[in-house]
Amino acid sequence: MQLLTAILLSALRTAGLVVSITVLVFFLVRVIPGDVVDLLSAEGGLDAAMQEEMRQELGLQQSRPAQLGNWAANAVHGDFGDSLRFHKPVGGMVCQALPTTIILSSLSFAYGLFLGCAVAVLAVLWPKSFFPKAVETLNAWSVAMPTFCAGLLGILVVVLWLEWMPMLGNMFLAVVVLGTDVAGQIAKPLYEDLKETATSKFIMTAKAKGLGKTRVILFHLLPNSLSVILALSGIILGGLVGGTITLEVLFGLPGIGKLALDGVLGRDYPLVQAVILLLAVAVVCINWFTDIIAKLIDPRLRSH
Amino acid sequence: MQSTLLATINAFGGRLFRRPPSGSARRARLPGGLTVTAGIILAASCLVALAGSLLMPYDPMEQMLLDTNQGISAAHWLGTDNLGRDVLSRLIFGTRISLLAGTGGLLFALILGGGLGLLASALGGVFEYLAYGFIDLLRTMPGILLALTLVVSLGSGFLSVTFALGLVFAPVFARIARAVYQREMSSEYFTYSLINGASRLWILRRHVLPNVLGAFVTQAGIILPRCIVTESVLSFLGVGMSPETPTWGRMIAVSSRYLEQNPVSVIAPVLALSLLTLSIAVLSNNLRRNTDVLRRNAAEA
């Protein structure tokens, strides 16, 4: 019961957050100097009358609160408006771009999670091997090598020098680059937590019972660190939601990040609003799910 | 004379120069090779940023259209880019931008996030609710997208990039402020101060602030590299500083189109960026380990 109330309360708060973000973004994109008509006329040379007509048609001459009202009323019905530049429904454009981003981020996350956990566990299992060093190296790599730099180095070596694969639309390389970054973010904190837990008494008990080292680590140590893995996953997934943008630009993948960048640069208000709303909802849901799962697997958290 | 000098040194660098207590396993910890290297790189970067125009062999904006995309040579140590601009000079200019924008963003995040967080926790009530609502709002927007939209709305340039970085990283400090405040609030001296009639703001300044500063400094060491990287990402996406400013991100973006003909002009800023961020991370990691007294004592025991 208590758990249920907590979940409902956080759902309410979450909904409030999403609504505030939508409103904030709505006004933020409209503060951008110059609207789409200005940009188009700078490119194509529209005269004053045509500009006026275009603004009328796009509803840009209305007051901002009125525009917000219209937009919100339509958005509730699932209609996010037409792109000001491409004259296509924004919803369709987002749906087209969504699979690319989902595949990219989920594959990189899965690969990174697996690599990070594996290296951290092996480092605890064999402290004298090269695995503890590998944890440090992975961590240093993800701190010091931004994904767009790593992506460029990858292109240089794999595409241009070794000529193994093409550059454009190269999902494989993007996943490797992004996933290695994720692994670095997971491996170090997990390793530290595992090492710290390894000194606690229930581990000593397990060892004293005569259980094997592998068994102790996999079935006693690792479950205790599940909440750390979960918390890290939440943060990393939230970061991935926006973090795919540079790789999408670099590898020419037609995903959400690319769409958002084009929208912001082209003053395409409906496009930006839809994308940011979507991403904010994604982040909020990720946080919400990790919260709930954390409470489910760790009874100590439920009272808070 | 000499003893005064030694006493002064001891006061500042105490742990380095004090003799270990006899019979104990404790020893003065000398900085390792990695730390020294990181320190040298960071110091050199700061020096290069400060003395920038003295060290630049060419004007970083000057185009020499007859010598475009040249490799390494005696005249141009790191070659030239697609418009014949000297890569080394641009790299030096970019060092200044990276360090300035990074520290500027960090300071802004610290003041906004930390200050707002502490004040809100001390004042409580509606103010706390609103302030942390705002912080949550910032935290929920994907960082890069928030920065991107902000910079485009405010117009590109140094100030708007710094402002955007500050807003993106402010939540980190706000959460630390809240955690430390709540920890201190449950301590006994806090209660006694309240009973003595001290106002919450006075307790904040007198008792909580000294406690939170350490945590802020530690976190700042983690956030600074991220600020520097985020600035480069913004410039790489073409929305950072004004387009003609030579920043590392901009250099990487422009030269990446000529990656095959001229890899040096991409590799040079990439290396500079990762060396700078790595050295800051190594130093801050070291600082954290050495100042965390509880853990250090546990490790040495």
Side-chain angles (χ1 to χ4, degrees):
Chain A
M1 192 57 221
Q2 203 182 10
L3 185 63
L4 204 65
T5 334
I7 290 176
L8 278 179
L9 265 182
S10 66
L12 210 65
R13 192 183 154 70
T14 302
L17 263 184
V18 170
V19 170
S20 336
I21 286 175
T22 316
V23 175
L24 185 80
V25 168
F26 188 90
F27 289 109
L28 199 58
V29 286
R30 279 170 174 72
V31 174
I32 301 178
D35 60 13
V36 66
V37 181
D38 289 331
L39 278 196
L40 286 179
S41 50
E43 286 161 19
L46 304 167
D47 60 42
M50 283 165 79
Q51 283 187 26
E52 207 44 52
E53 191 187 340
M54 221 174 144
R55 287 212 171 85
Q56 199 82 29
E57 199 182 319
L58 297 172
L60 292 177
Q61 85 298 352
Q62 291 170 313
S63 71
R64 281 173 184 165
Q67 290 185 39
L68 176 62
N70 282 344
W71 183 78
N74 288 330
V76 172
H77 292 105
D79 173 15
F80 292 95
D82 286 359
S83 156
L84 300 184
R85 284 201 144 224
F86 304 102
H87 306 291
K88 283 190 287 188
V90 166
M93 291 172 72
V94 169
C95 286
Q96 243 174 17
L98 204 52
T100 310
T101 302
I102 289 184
I103 292 174
L104 175 58
S105 44
S106 55
L107 280 183
S108 341
F109 179 70
Y111 160 65
L113 186 69
F114 176 75
L115 182 65
C117 291
V119 171
V121 168
L122 289 174
V124 176
L125 190 60
W126 295 309
K128 294 226 169 64
S129 66
F130 80 100
F131 285 108
K133 282 240 160 56
V135 169
E136 296 295 331
T137 314
L138 266 180
N139 182 53
W141 176 264
S142 77
V143 168
M145 194 54 91
T147 47
F148 75 99
C149 292
L152 270 171
L153 291 187
I155 289 177
L156 188 64
V157 174
V158 179
V159 178
L160 295 180
W161 288 351
L162 301 175
E163 296 182 350
W164 280 351
M165 43 185 83
M167 169 172 150
L168 285 180
N170 190 331
M171 184 72 90
F172 176 77
L173 208 50
V175 167
V176 170
V177 166
L178 206 52
T180 313
D181 195 65
V182 169
Q185 291 174 53
I186 289 184
K188 180 81 186 289
L190 179 61
Y191 175 60
E192 303 267 316
D193 188 70
L194 285 174
K195 260 203 323 196
E196 208 173 305
T197 323
T199 58
S200 55
K201 287 187 177 146
F202 73 96
I203 296 297
M204 207 197 284
T205 314
K207 278 184 192 157
K209 281 196 293 188
L211 298 180
K213 208 174 173 188
T214 320
R215 207 187 152 90
V216 171
I217 287 178
L218 284 185
F219 296 104
H220 294 249
L221 201 53
L222 201 55
N224 194 67
S225 296
L226 262 186
S227 53
V228 174
I229 299 179
L230 194 72
L232 283 171
S233 302
I235 296 171
I236 289 168
L237 273 175
L240 270 184
V241 165
T244 55
I245 181 167
T246 48
L247 287 177
E248 282 173 14
V249 171
L250 197 59
F251 288 98
L253 298 167
I256 293 287
K258 184 82 175 53
L259 211 57
L261 184 65
D262 290 347
V264 172
L265 292 180
R267 314 291 191 268
D268 203 336
Y269 306 148
L271 189 57
V272 180
Q273 279 156 222
V275 168
I276 294 196
L277 178 64
L278 177 80
L279 294 185
V281 169
V283 171
V284 159
C285 289
I286 290 168
N287 288 345
W288 197 49
F289 278 129
T290 46
D291 247 26
I292 293 174
I293 298 176
K295 280 177 184 150
L296 284 178
I297 61 171
D298 192 344
R300 284 170 300 181
L301 292 176
R302 277 180 214 168
S303 52
H304 293 293
Chain B
M1 177 62 207
Q2 206 184 5
S3 62
T4 336
L5 189 66
L6 261 181
T8 323
I9 291 176
N10 270 333
F12 281 101
R15 286 174 42 71
L16 278 183
F17 297 98
R18 200 180 304 138
R19 289 172 64 85
S22 54
S24 127
R26 283 188 74 171
R27 251 184 231 136
R29 184 183 298 186
L30 285 168
L34 191 63
T35 318
V36 172
T37 319
I40 290 174
I41 291 175
L42 183 60
S45 306
C46 292
L47 207 67
V48 162
L50 281 175
S53 37
L54 296 176
L55 297 173
M56 285 178 214
Y58 297 87
D59 177 355
M61 328 274 189
E62 190 195 344
Q63 304 180 1
M64 287 163 271
L65 293 170
L66 291 176
D67 305 317
T68 56
N69 276 329
Q70 301 234 319
I72 295 174
S73 67
H76 300 279
W77 288 5
L78 292 175
T80 58
D81 71 0
N82 62 319
L83 293 174
R85 295 171 295 195
D86 183 55
V87 171
L88 180 61
S89 307
R90 292 173 73 74
L91 201 67
I92 292 173
F93 197 96
T95 314
R96 184 186 295 172
I97 300 284
S98 280
L99 279 173
L100 273 180
T103 39
L106 173 71
L107 280 181
F108 188 61
L110 192 65
I111 292 168
L112 180 76
L116 191 68
L118 282 178
L119 261 184
S121 307
L123 292 177
V126 181
F127 189 70
E128 184 181 11
Y129 191 79
L130 285 181
Y132 278 99
F134 175 65
I135 294 292
D136 270 354
L137 200 71
L138 291 180
R139 211 159 53 90
T140 313
M141 295 268 284
I144 281 289
L145 267 183
L146 174 64
L148 215 135
T149 323
L150 272 172
V151 174
V152 176
S153 325
L154 300 172
S156 51
F158 181 78
L159 277 180
S160 49
V161 169
T162 313
F163 179 72
L165 290 179
L167 277 186
V168 168
F169 291 107
V172 181
F173 292 105
R175 292 175 82 191
I176 290 181
R178 182 184 227 176
V180 172
Y181 190 88
Q182 283 178 348
R183 193 186 69 201
E184 296 305 317
M185 209 167 72
S186 59
S187 67
E188 289 187 343
Y189 72 80
F190 194 100
T191 322
Y192 293 148
S193 303
L194 274 184
I195 295 172
N196 275 341
S199 76
R200 279 172 177 264
L201 284 180
W202 186 84
I203 302 177
L204 179 71
R205 194 166 49 85
R206 186 75 179 74
H207 292 311
V208 181
L209 206 57
N211 273 311
V212 82
L213 278 183
F216 277 173
V217 169
T218 315
Q219 196 63 32
I222 300 173
I223 295 300
L224 182 58
R226 291 178 59 192
C227 274
I228 292 176
V229 166
T230 311
E231 186 275 316
S232 307
V233 170
L234 286 177
S235 296
F236 175 75
L237 295 175
V239 291
M241 306 285 166
S242 58
E244 62 272 11
T245 315
T247 59
W248 290 347
R250 187 104 207 126
M251 291 171 71
I252 295 171
V254 170
S255 302
S256 66
R257 272 174 255 146
Y258 307 90
L259 192 57
E260 189 157 20
Q261 311 155 34
N262 189 7
V264 180
S265 61
V266 174
I267 293 177
V270 166
L271 268 187
L273 181 60
S274 52
L275 277 181
L276 181 61
T277 44
L278 190 61
S279 56
I280 296 174
V282 165
L283 286 177
S284 73
N285 201 2
N286 227 35
L287 181 76
R288 187 162 63 247
R289 254 200 324 239
N290 282 322
T291 48
D292 194 347
V293 183
L294 290 179
R295 187 174 287 178
R296 192 184 64 211
N297 287 348
E300 283 175 4

